[in-house]
Every structure is written in C-alpha cells, then in structure tokens.
Amino acid sequence: MKKFALLLLSLFALPALAQPSLKMMIPANPGGGWDQTGRGLAAAMQSGKLASSVQFENKGGAAGIIGLAQFVNSSKGDPNAVMVGGMVMVGGIILGKSAVNLSQVTPIARLTSEWEVVVVPAASPIKTMAELVKLLKENPGKVSWGGGSAGGTDHILAGLIARAVGVDAAKVNYVPYKGGGEAIAAILGGHVTVGISGVGEFAEQVKAGKMRALAQSSPSKLDGIPSLKEQGIDVELGNWRGIFGAPGITPQQRDALVKLVKDATETPAWKATLEKLGWTPVFLGGDDYGRFIEEDIKRVGAIIESLGLKK
Amino acid sequence: MRRFKPAEAALSLGVLALGLGVAGVTATLPSEGGYSGIGPNFIPGVVGAGIVVLGLWLSYEAFAGGWRNAPPDDARARGEHEFNAAAFGWITAGLFAHMALIGWAGFVIAGIALFACIARAFGSLRVARDLGFGLVLSLGVFVFFVKLLNVNLPAGWLAPILGTAGI
Amino acid sequence: MEAFDALMAGFGVALKPINLLWGFIGVTLGTFIGVLPGVGPALTVAMLLPLTAKLDPTGALIMFAGIYYGAMFGGSTTTILLNTPGESASIATALEGNRMAKNGRAGPALATAAIGSFVAGSIATALLTLLAPVVVDLALKFGPAEYFSLMVFAFITVSAVLGASTVRGLTSLFLGLFFGLIGIDSQTGQPRFAFGVAELLDGVDVVVLAVGLFAVGEALYVAAYQSRLTETIETVKGSVMMSLEDWKRSWPAWLRATAIGFPFGTIPAGGAEIPTFLSYAAEKKLSRHPEEFGHGAIEGVAGPEAANNASATGVLVPLLTLGIPTSATAAILLGAFQNYGLQPGPQLFQAQSELVWGLIASLYVGNVILLILNLPLIGIWVKVLSIPKDILYAGILVFATLGAYSLHQSWVDLLTLYVFGLLGFAMRRWDIPVGPAVIGLILGPLAETQFRRALAISQGDPTVFFTQPISATFLAITAALVVVPWVVRKWRSRDSSV
C-alpha cells in the first residue's frame, strides 16, 4: 500500500517520469474482448518495463458508451489516461443515440482485429457462398441470418454482403441473438438459414463438422476458409479493437502514448497474448488510426442507416 | 362497511398515470418491424394498454369501497405500530448520502455514512459505535474485495492510504 | 461402459486428499461470499474464480465446483433468513422460505434446501452422465416458436403466485413487464423508455429489481412499521432439524422439482427462473396443505431449491456439448473451463474425455462436500437472525448497495435500487405480490424477443406457433390448463345445484 502512495506522490512531483503510471478505462465488464485487450496490453507494458503500473477501471454496459462518457468527462487533458475501444462502440454510439462519441477522445493505436465468418448448418442444402448469394437474390426474406446484437458487427457484415451483391440491405432478414453462443443453438437447430459471428466463436463447430464455413471477412484465405473477396464479394470487415487517449492532450503527449503502445506491441508478452487468443495484429498508430476511425464511422453509419435501424 | 382510503386511490391513479405515460412514449416509438411485422412499439403498446386497464380497475375498487382483501389500515390490527416517518426518512437519507458520496469520497466513507444512518433508523442512538462498525465493515469489504478479489470499487478520498485496484 | 470407467477414473482423481481439501476450501469461500445479501452466485463465482488459477487443472476444477455449489447454497441461505435474494433463481425460495424463518422454522427451511439441492444435484449429475448427447439433440429442436409457446405456458402457470387479489397480482405482473421494456430493443437496437440515461440502455438488471424490492423494501417496511416493537421475535422454535413430517412433505417435492428443473436447464435458453417458479406453482397445486402457502409451507422451499440445483446441472448439457452458456453463471463457467484448458463444444467428450469426467466427478464431490459442510452450519446460520436489527439491516444495505453499484460503477443504479425499494415498501404495505413483477421482468423480454424472432423467420406468418409440433403441444397444454379447471368447476357447480 505504501508503494501505491509513493507512486501517487511521485506522479505529482515528477510529471516527466520515465515510466508513466497509466490509468486504463475498460468500458466493459471483466472477461470480454476489450478486457482481455486492455489487460494483455498492460501486462506487455509491464513486462517490457514501459509503464511502472497500470490501474484498471472496468465500467461495462451499453456497448461501451457508459465507460466512454465517464472517460470523456473525467480524464480531460490527463496524459496518462487511456481507454480501450473498438468497432462495437461505433455502432453502439449511433444506435444508443449517445451524447458522447469517439471524436471526443484522442486516437492512439489500433491493435487487433477479429475476422467474421459466414456459416450454415451441416445439413443445409447450401454448399457454397455462390449458392447463398443466388438464394439471397431470389428472395432475401427467405434467408434468415442469425448473429449477434442488432447493429453489431455481425449485422453490419450481413448488410455489407447484401449490398455488395446488389440486394437492398434493408431487405436482409437479420435475426439478432444475444451473442455468438445463443446464435450457435439456433444455427445448429436449423432455425435460421445462415449464421454470422467471429471466426473463433464458431471454430469448434466447424472443426467438428456440425457447421460449414462458406466465407470469412479477412482480405485473404484464413484457416482454409476462402475470403469473401476471393469469392467476388468486395467486402472486408474486421472487428477491430484499439486504444484511445484522453480528450485535449497535446500532440507531444499523444505521440508519447503512441510510442509506448507501439513498444508494448513488440514485446514477446503481447505476441503470446495474440497467439493465445487467436487475434490478428493490425497495428495502426496516431493520425492513420484517426483517419481509419473516421472512415469506419462513416461506413458503419451508412450501413446502419441502410439496414433501416437508425431512426 | 369499508371506507374510502386516500392512499389506495392515490396508488390506483398512479398506476393509471403510469399506463398513460407508457402509452404516450410508445406513440413516439417506430413501428417498422421488418419481416416479423411486429415493431418495437407493439409490445409496449400492449403493456401500456394493460396498465391503463389495471389502473382503471384499481381506481374503481378504491372509489367503490376500497381494494378487496387489502390489509387493514389500522396498524395495530396488523400487529405493527403507526408509520414511523423518522425511521423511513433516515433510511432514505442514508441511501442518498451513500449515492452522493460513493463516487468522490469513495466506497468506505459512503459505507460508513450508510451504515450509521440505517442503524439510526432502527433506533440506535450510539453514533460512535455505529460509525465504528460501519468503518470496520466497509473497510473490511473494501480490502477483501478490492485487494484480494480485484473487484472495482472507488477508493475516493482514502486513495492515498488504500491505493486502488491495479497490477 | 467406457463412460463409466472414465467416470470412475475421474472420481479416483477427485477423491485424492489434496483435491478434497481444495473442494472444502472452495465450498467454504463460496458459501461465505454467496451468503452476503445482494451478492448472487454469478458475482461470487466471478470474484472467486481467479483464486483457482494457481492450481493444477484438477485441483482448480474441484475447487471451482465447490465455489459454484457453495455460492448457490449461500445465496439460498440469505434468501431464507433475510428475504434478500441475490439472483432471480432464488426468488421463488424467498416466497415461502422467509415465511418459515419468520415462524421460527429457519432450521428446517435451510435443511430442506440443502438436502433437496443435494438430491436434485445428484440425480441431475447422473442424468448428465447418461443423457448429455441425447438430450442435446432434443434441446436443439427448440427454436423461437417453441420458446414463445413455452413462455406462454410459463406465464399461465405462474398465475399461482398472483396472490390474494387478481387485479393487484396482474398489476404487479404488468409493472414487471414494463420494467422489462426499458433499454435497447434487442431486435432493432431502438432505445425504449431509457430517456437518454446510458445506464438504462442495458435494461433493468434483475438483481437490482430483486434486491430493491426485497432487501431495501424490507428495510424500509420494518423500520417504518416494526422498529419500535419491543417483543423479540422467537428466532428458533423447536428443532433446527427437519421433523419426520418435514421429510414426508419434502421428498416428493425434491423429485418433482428435479424432473422440472433438469430439462429446463438443458434447453439453450432455459435458465433457472422458469423451473423454480413452475416448481413452486406445482407444489402449491399438489400440496395437501395449500392453506400453508404464503405462511411458510416447506414444499414451497424444497421444490424451488431442488429445481434450481437440477437446472444448474442441466445447464451443463448445452454448455459442455455445444459451448452455449444459458445463464449469467454459465457464461462465467464457460470462461473458467477455457482457462482450465477445457474447450466446450461437440468434440469435448471425445477429445478431452478425461477432463470432462473429472469435472463431472468434481461436481458430484463438490455436492457432497456442500452437504457435509453446511448441515452442521445451519445451527450457526440461524443465529444470524438474533443479530440486533439496527446492525443487521445496516449490514444488509451495505452489501445490497455493493451488488448494485458493481454493475456499472454508477450512482444511477443506486437510485434505481432506491426506487425499487419504495415500490417494494408500497407493495408490502398494500399487499401487492412481488413475485409476478419479477417474473414479468424476466420472462417479458424473452417472450417478446422469441415472438418477434419466430415471426421474422416465418416472414410474418403467425401459424408457425401452431404448425410446429413442440410449440403446438405447449399451447395445447396451456389451453388445457385454462379450460379444464373451468369446465370442472362449472360441472361441479351444476352438480351441486341439482
């Protein structure tokens, strides 16, 4: 306990401390993807002696909006405050009509991406993506898509696929489930035509031959599953996760954080985390990351609107 | 002969008002339901209508001789004493003090205030003892949950002494 | 036979002294945290889980099984003694259990809960061992239409908890349905009744509702109407153990509850709320002492507790064979299993049979340890009731607020808690039953979601509910439940009038 007290004191006395003591906001409850990202990164920072300590604050709920609002309001100008976030937040902000949004925080770096997979139950007559597309074009209502929450990554991918093959995204018959797990039962039981979720979520079922993977959303072939692009559907979608800094920090402070995170991603500890969780590293720092987010907000916003969700 | 009771009438009208409120908000919700044909406003409409009907039914009972099979208004008939407004007030005060304090003063201080107020509500006049018990309990809980189990509770003003959760 | 050998090998490992020790530690910790008012099993398991990380997989599994059962039983203990259920599955227990405690029969109530949990857990574990692969195929046949019909069935059946006045019971149910509407609509992402408050977007948490209605409402009521009463309530009347009569009334309830609880646990959107309330309703209907219900009927404790444990074991069927968590606690279990190197899914029983059977053996051993540890403890738990009221309620509220605050670390949940406390106070004062409100909150959103899903898949064709065999069966049973008693009554009244 004394150590903590001293640390806090030294924080006030020496703002230019070589190893910063970070405060990390994780806008989700412990255990999920954001929590694993944040804690994995913090462990990497510590293993590389890049940060002297990291204090976590988990504040879950509403696709991260609650944590985001708190971060925006309470950490203004704090060069040592960071927050985990990702694509799910982009949709959540739009659907939840949130008063705060991602333009109010400072983009630091994109870290990981999880690709999405399109599956059918083993007994389904649909064998290939082309057959699915044909069915979709004939009668979009007859193809029910089971996946995660409305307006989430899975729903967005269904919309993007439809639009790419020339079907009105608003005609997609998407049936939201509480998450990949609940959707698995609906897919295996044949209650929906197609299933969409993160690659890892369905991996066991695909391996066991209970589901057939038709395509996945990375740029190229992955685990023997052809990508959408390879099959002539121009869609690429990764459920990305990244790090943000506090609102109103100086460019120097931001660059320091970008460097800190970049160094952390080069540690063996971080690589081991990625390996263990099966995440693809897609590092993108500073301004590039900022531009990427702007693009993504536009893309997600447009597709959510065309899905008929934004009221 | 049952008598008209203002509290029952007020509750009944409250239910009715809630039903009308639900119906009012429902009217602002979109109705498109995609392929199901059932939009996000359908079930709220049903629930709102149900609450309105129940509010009318309760009001009818309240104004026509009182709610059926309701407990007696005479506290002694229920084996209890008259409404103790001070006790009710102390609990309310304790919960609101806790709500206000937990964010900035921290879990431990908020817990002490809550404990002391609730104990006061139940007739305790030993303020020092209650503050002491409150301190021991909240501090114990804080140390156990935050330090051992890594649960996230605010340290607040005591952060320099207690530290916060972290690695 | 292969499975049997594997199970025996599992027992061989689980029964090593060191593993038994971990089991005892797990049960003890689980019970002591789970017993804190407002801290439910999901939270308990989540908090204690990291402690198991340092052990080898077998030790971790058995300690974990101990924590799991301990947390569930700890929750029931608080529910019975203090009327403060920390999770939705123990609400049905609160209805009769706390009445028993107030009549000085806390001992038998706790005993029937402990033994009932053990009996149900044992039978359910045996069923899990034998039937897991068969049951899961059947469970997958449940689609949205089937679920919706099942919900209709549940709504009608639980009318048994409506209480003394139909209109007030229905009011309670509809208030619960309304609370269930708050938050983001699962099918379209549309916020409803959240009024821009971010904490409300996720909906009203059933823990906040339960803790508010029960714990805070109880504190307000007792303070307002009973704090100045001088006579001490007799905390223990007669034996803390169950009498012969108690046994006679409990065991059929345990068995019926197991039969209700296990299948519900196995279907991939089951959970423990529906079976506990169904069991309560069944016991109330079948009891030879229906007049005791509402005043502390032992069947009303024995049934829901056994149903809770049976369904908690049933939940392992979809969890292990499909990797589908069907409750909050199950979701945490899934994470735990993955930490221990178990990958739940269709290949689990082939690929990692040793670990699976080790787990099943651990669960069984954990169940036994729970019984051994907690039966002697009942005498001590009952003494909680003799803590002076000022200290007791102050302590309860410290934990109740902790549980609510830990959801979003926000004062908004504390305000919600207080509002539900006021509601609980009013409901108790004017005899509006609490059970229907909780059922409405839990089942309402599920029913709405499944209804709309079923119609989306059928593209708006409402006949799906009648053309699919399982769904149609449920609706037919429901209709029979409503019509048959009515016809019988008519017939009898005509008979007697002649």
Side-chain angles (χ1 to χ4, degrees):
Chain A
M1 273 185 210
K2 225 180 212 160
K3 202 181 94 202
F4 278 105
L6 284 175
L7 267 174
L8 245 108
L9 285 176
S10 62
L11 202 71
F12 292 116
L14 301 163
L17 205 68
Q19 290 182 17
S21 168
L22 291 184
K23 278 189 293 194
M24 184 182 281
M25 161 66 76
I26 298 173
N29 288 324
W34 286 347
D35 189 58
Q36 287 168 324
T37 307
R39 286 176 199 266
L41 188 71
M45 285 175 180
Q46 303 226 304
S47 79
K49 306 254 180 294
L50 301 165
S52 55
S53 79
V54 182
Q55 292 173 8
F56 299 106
E57 185 173 1
N58 284 87
K59 203 177 181 97
I65 305 174
I66 298 174
L68 175 67
Q70 155 128 353
F71 187 71
V72 167
N73 293 333
S74 68
S75 67
K76 211 158 274 171
D78 182 346
N80 291 320
V82 294
M83 179 189 76
V84 183
M87 174 155 172
V88 175
M89 222 181 229
V90 176
I93 289 168
I94 298 170
L95 287 172
K97 300 193 169 84
S98 169
V100 289
N101 62 58
L102 283 175
S103 68
Q104 286 165 279
V105 291
T106 312
I108 302 297
R110 186 178 70 181
L111 296 172
T112 64
S113 185
E114 237 183 317
W115 305 111
E116 297 266 308
V117 64
V118 180
V119 300
V120 290
S124 166
I126 302 167
K127 303 284 180 213
T128 65
M129 196 65 204
E131 288 176 32
L132 176 64
V133 169
K134 189 165 161 268
L135 215 63
L136 189 66
K137 281 182 174 167
E138 277 167 12
N139 186 350
K142 264 191 125 168
V143 179
S144 49
W145 304 70
S149 58
T153 323
D154 308 337
H155 194 176
I156 288 168
L157 180 64
L160 287 172
I161 291 176
R163 207 171 55 176
V165 302
V167 173
D168 181 1
K171 288 256 155 66
V172 168
N173 191 357
Y174 187 79
V175 186
Y177 284 83
K178 239 181 277 158
E182 214 194 353
I184 289 176
I187 298 159
L188 289 180
H191 302 292
V192 290
T193 324
V194 207
I196 297 190
S197 190
V199 169
E201 199 96 48
F202 291 157
E204 284 297 311
Q205 311 292 339
V206 173
K207 244 188 277 171
K210 302 228 167 189
M211 287 182 186
R212 186 160 51 241
L214 299 180
Q216 43 78 22
S217 66
S218 84
S220 54
K221 206 177 190 91
L222 191 78
D223 297 336
I225 307 166
S227 72
L228 287 163
K229 279 195 165 162
E230 285 172 328
Q231 303 186 60
I233 301 166
D234 189 20
V235 173
E236 187 188 318
L237 186 76
N239 182 8
W240 57 269
R241 302 190 180 100
I243 292 284
F244 296 85
I249 57 174
T250 65
Q252 290 80 12
Q253 289 168 335
R254 187 201 66 167
D255 292 343
L257 280 175
V258 173
K259 183 175 177 330
L260 173 68
V261 172
K262 175 138 187 63
D263 290 347
T265 58
E266 280 156 13
T267 59
W270 177 248
K271 286 178 181 146
T273 305
L274 291 182
E275 177 82 19
K276 191 177 130 204
L277 297 169
W279 291 343
T280 316
V282 285
F283 186 88
L284 198 63
D287 288 334
D288 294 338
Y289 179 43
R291 274 190 295 276
F292 165 78
I293 292 172
E294 270 173 39
E295 282 300 307
D296 215 52
I297 290 174
K298 267 191 228 143
R299 182 165 80 136
V300 171
I303 194 74
I304 285 184
E305 200 148 1
S306 66
L307 289 171
L309 285 174
K310 197 181 165 192
K311 303 290 149 45
Chain B
M1 178 64 205
R2 294 178 60 92
R3 281 185 308 128
F4 169 72
K5 298 175 196 166
E8 289 181 358
L11 284 173
S12 308
L13 293 174
V15 171
L16 183 60
L18 176 74
L20 293 172
V22 172
V25 174
T26 304
T28 69
L29 292 173
S31 60
E32 308 93 278
Y35 286 98
S36 69
I38 301 287
N41 68 346
F42 180 79
I43 302 289
V46 174
V47 172
I51 298 179
V52 168
V53 169
L54 289 163
L56 289 173
W57 188 350
L58 286 170
S59 306
Y60 165 76
E61 285 196 0
F63 287 101
W67 286 0
R68 313 293 182 252
N69 298 322
D73 263 359
D74 179 10
R76 268 161 309 167
R78 300 195 308 267
E80 293 167 344
H81 55 63
E82 286 302 316
F83 182 71
N84 182 346
F88 196 89
W90 273 109
I91 294 190
T92 306
L95 286 166
F96 276 89
H98 181 261
M99 231 177 273
L101 284 170
I102 194 162
W104 54 297
F107 175 82
V108 176
I109 292 172
I112 296 171
L114 176 67
F115 194 98
C117 288
I118 306 296
R120 179 71 188 75
F122 284 87
S124 166
L125 292 171
R126 291 184 279 175
V127 179
R129 181 203 69 165
D130 295 338
L131 290 174
F133 272 12
L135 172 69
V136 172
L137 182 68
S138 345
L139 195 64
V141 168
F142 185 87
V143 170
F144 185 75
F145 280 75
V146 175
K147 297 296 168 187
L148 261 76
L149 302 178
N150 253 319
V151 174
N152 197 2
L153 294 172
W157 294 344
L158 301 180
I161 310 165
L162 297 173
T164 46
I167 50 172
Chain C
M1 238 15 349
E2 229 172 276
F4 184 75
D5 291 341
L7 183 62
M8 285 301 118
F11 271 115
V13 180
L15 288 172
K16 276 191 197 152
I18 180 74
N19 287 336
L20 283 179
L21 179 69
W22 291 127
F24 268 99
I25 295 175
V27 169
T28 312
L29 281 174
T31 312
F32 277 85
I33 306 281
V35 87
L36 302 175
V39 181
L43 190 58
T44 307
V45 172
M47 285 191 301
L48 291 174
L49 200 59
L51 297 182
T52 67
K54 293 177 179 73
L55 308 176
D56 66 287
T58 334
L61 272 183
I62 191 160
M63 179 166 170
F64 176 77
I67 293 173
Y68 182 50
Y69 282 117
M72 286 202 297
F73 183 70
S76 312
T77 307
T78 343
T79 301
I80 290 170
L81 294 177
L82 306 175
N83 204 17
T84 55
E87 60 152 354
S88 43
S90 32
I91 290 167
T93 307
L95 301 176
E96 295 304 313
N98 188 246
R99 290 281 140 205
M100 285 185 72
K102 288 206 166 123
N103 297 340
R105 306 233 311 131
L110 288 174
T112 199
I115 302 170
S117 296
F118 172 76
V119 170
S122 303
I123 299 174
T125 309
L127 290 175
L128 171 71
T129 317
L130 299 170
L131 297 178
V134 191
V135 172
V136 82
D137 283 339
L138 191 67
L140 281 179
K141 296 218 160 55
F142 271 72
E146 286 75 17
Y147 282 125
F148 177 71
S149 302
L150 182 63
M151 305 287 163
V152 172
F153 171 72
F155 269 123
I156 296 295
T157 321
V158 295
S159 62
V161 295
L162 283 182
S165 148
T166 312
V167 59
R168 294 204 293 280
L170 284 174
T171 304
S172 174
L173 179 68
F174 271 79
L175 285 178
L177 289 174
F178 164 64
F179 298 140
L181 292 173
I182 296 171
I184 285 187
D185 169 35
S186 69
Q187 298 304 290
T188 59
Q190 168 75 34
R192 298 189 295 194
F193 303 100
F195 306 108
V197 180
E199 281 81 356
L200 290 179
L201 286 177
D202 283 338
V204 172
D205 192 281
V206 68
V207 171
V208 176
L209 180 81
V211 173
L213 285 182
F214 285 88
V216 180
E218 171 97 359
L220 285 168
Y221 190 87
V222 173
Y225 287 114
Q226 298 176 347
S227 59
R228 289 205 208 112
L229 297 181
T230 42
E231 89 272 31
T232 48
I233 297 167
E234 210 176 333
T235 49
V236 183
K237 242 187 267 170
S239 166
V240 293
M241 282 293 119
M242 289 163 68
S243 67
L244 192 64
E245 168 78 5
D246 290 336
W247 278 97
K248 270 192 195 145
R249 290 173 60 175
S250 289
W251 74 262
W254 294 336
L255 296 185
R256 277 193 290 268
T258 309
I260 296 172
F262 185 76
F264 265 92
T266 61
I267 58 172
E273 299 88 9
I274 305 176
T276 49
F277 276 105
L278 281 184
S279 163
Y280 180 85
E283 294 312 321
K284 191 174 174 181
K285 269 262 172 326
L286 296 172
S287 173
R288 259 179 256 154
H289 311 269
E291 75 288 349
E292 278 185 30
F293 273 77
H295 306 282
I298 195 163
E299 299 95 325
V301 182
E305 274 303 295
N308 183 10
N309 224 28
S311 83
T313 311
V315 159
L316 292 171
V317 173
L319 186 67
L320 292 175
T321 55
L322 297 172
I324 301 171
T326 54
S327 68
T329 318
I332 296 162
L333 288 180
L334 181 64
F337 292 165
Q338 285 163 343
N339 274 349
Y340 305 145
L342 270 166
Q343 189 54 55
Q347 293 178 308
L348 179 73
F349 277 83
Q350 288 93 36
Q352 294 177 297
S353 67
E354 208 172 305
L355 269 173
V356 180
W357 295 114
L359 170 75
I360 291 173
S362 299
L363 287 175
Y364 193 78
V365 173
N367 214 346
V368 177
I369 296 177
L370 179 78
L371 193 67
I372 295 173
L373 198 72
N374 274 302
L375 276 183
L377 278 183
I378 286 175
I380 297 169
W381 289 130
V382 172
K383 295 221 166 58
V384 167
L385 292 176
S386 46
I387 297 176
K389 269 187 202 162
D390 48 351
I391 306 282
L392 181 66
Y393 280 100
I396 289 176
L397 286 192
V398 166
F399 287 111
T401 48
L402 167 77
Y405 190 74
S406 69
L407 287 173
H408 299 115
Q409 284 76 40
S410 163
W411 60 272
V412 176
D413 291 314
L414 295 174
L415 182 62
T416 319
L417 186 72
Y418 179 71
V419 171
F420 285 136
L422 285 183
L423 186 62
F425 169 82
M427 291 173 96
R428 173 128 182 232
R429 170 63 185 77
W430 285 280
D431 193 26
I432 301 169
V434 175
V438 178
I439 291 171
L441 175 73
I442 298 167
L443 292 190
L446 285 175
E448 181 189 7
T449 303
Q450 303 291 6
F451 182 56
R452 287 163 64 189
R453 269 185 200 151
L455 286 177
I457 292 171
S458 75
Q459 299 185 57
D461 173 11
T463 60
V464 280
F465 301 108
F466 308 104
T467 51
Q468 310 216 15
I470 301 178
S471 170
T473 312
F474 274 116
L475 289 180
I477 296 173
T478 311
L481 278 179
V482 175
V483 175
V484 171
W486 183 77
V487 171
V488 169
R489 227 175 312 141
K490 279 268 157 187
W491 184 69
R492 273 206 194 135
S493 65
R494 198 177 52 186
D495 211 34
S496 59
S497 65
V498 173

